[in-house]
Amino acid sequence: MIFRTVRFILSIFLFCFYPYTCNAFGEFSLKKEAELGKKFKKIIRSHLPLIQDPEINSYVRQMVFKLAKSAPYYPFKIEVDVVQNNAMNAFATLAGYMVVYSGMVEKVDSDSELAGVLAHELAHLTQRHVAKNIERSQLVSVGSILTLLAGILVGGNTQAGQALMIGSIAGAQSALLKYTRENEREADQIGLNYLVKAGYDPWGMVEVFKKIRKQRWLSGGTLPSYLSTHPAVEERIGYLEDRLKRLRVKSELKKSVELQLVQTLLRSKYNSPKVALHYFKGNSCYDLLGKGIVYARLNALEKAKKYFILLNDIPDCKKNAVFYREIGKFYYQYGELNKALLNLQKSFLLNSKDSLTLFYYARALAEEGLIKEAEKYFQECLVKMFYNANVHEIVGIFYGKHNKMFKAHLHLAYAYLLQHKIKKFKFHLKKVKLLAKTSSQKRELEKLQKEYKELTNNY
């Protein structure tokens, strides 16, 4: 474990930062920012527990895109990932890439509060604060490396350790690329402008900062970087309140049905069952969905089925593809393929872009012996969820069962690479090399080897 964590540290700080920060007189150009941002993004996506539910990701990404339309020209594509972590936090990196924690999405009481955080981080990106600070500082901070090292080694391989690792990465990134007082004030003010132009309630930014501050008092934890740096938290909340009062902006914070659904998915899937059930005490579509998912996690089949049947009987609950998707997943996992296919087909008709629907639909088709159709949807899943080890593993097993051994070993190699099980990865890589005969297979081999080099810095 220690060797793997040390390697991970080196891959982030030496592989990412060294080529760009050690040139004492070099300019941190857009090209260099793009190269560094790409590497950092790939490391984040391959090492941290990303939320893979397209409904959650789509909600957050659409919000970011809406805010970005209110911003001036920015040379990079804006991208955002949601990391599975209960903390109320988010951070911007480089070249248009930001990360938001699932805890932030789960704990807000309105869309505008989440938009307030995302607008602040977007302002850090559009003003290129991180890039400018790299250019200004030139040197990698040894303290930040030690912070990350301590976090990972203490955390170990446990779920708590993963959470600590995530926090350490964000903390080390903050220590390495500290925002100045002017950076933070600028991100607040410009982010507030983005918020207003995009049609969100600007009081959302004030309210979410208050929530983060309260969360710190309750948990004894630290504030995220954009609240922990100068100016002080109270001062920052104060000047935002003063600005809105001068403009006579009234607060009308609301929670959309989209946010209610996303929070239902996060709470039912990623909290402990006991905590999750605390949220679902009524008989609304969201309560029934939440209870169905939680009881399925607990293997309480009859209880889960009861709530999914009730969900399927309420007309208002049938308007969203996600309800059919979750019902279909449940029936697939418990072997009722006809009901699984029926519900997954309904979900697919309502939203053909949902990668989880495609994934379980493909698996159900494969179980039914519809091999060509299953393969088609598996390939679509791989495009949408390339960095999902579970998808590669299931696809690899699928091809192995049908004696397509090159593809079987190829996807099992990806699965183990993404799980950082390098010994097993190399076993399947060796098989891929032996089986690669055609030009297309050799291109797939080259792509696999390139991913290995980039994810492990093994040049």
Side-chain angles (χ1 to χ4, degrees), residues 109-222:
D109 290 316
S110 71
D111 302 73
S112 293
E113 290 173 26
L114 179 60
V117 169
L118 297 177
H120 177 99
E121 296 304 324
L122 178 63
H124 278 311
L125 289 176
T126 59
Q127 303 312 114
R128 297 187 69 228
H129 287 155
V130 173
K132 290 174 182 177
N133 288 343
I134 289 177
E135 189 173 34
R136 186 183 303 115
S137 63
Q138 297 299 333
L139 295 174
V140 173
S141 163
V142 174
S144 66
I145 299 176
L146 294 177
T147 300
L148 182 59
L149 176 63
I152 296 175
L153 295 185
V154 171
N157 225 356
T158 63
Q159 186 174 8
Q162 273 193 331
L164 183 56
M165 180 179 72
I166 297 167
S168 298
I169 290 170
Q173 182 256 8
S174 177
L176 174 63
L177 309 168
K178 280 185 177 178
Y179 295 136
T180 65
R181 181 188 183 99
E182 290 74 23
N183 289 160
E184 291 298 347
R185 183 180 288 272
E186 187 174 37
D188 288 340
Q189 300 288 1
I190 291 178
L192 196 66
N193 291 339
Y194 294 162
L195 203 61
V196 172
K197 289 180 181 177
Y200 290 104
D201 187 333
W203 282 101
M205 183 178 284
V206 176
E207 291 304 313
V208 76
F209 282 6
K210 289 179 179 179
K211 276 189 174 64
I212 296 169
R213 179 186 60 187
K214 182 179 180 181
Q215 189 75 15
R216 180 205 182 186
W217 291 341
L218 292 174
S219 65
T222 57

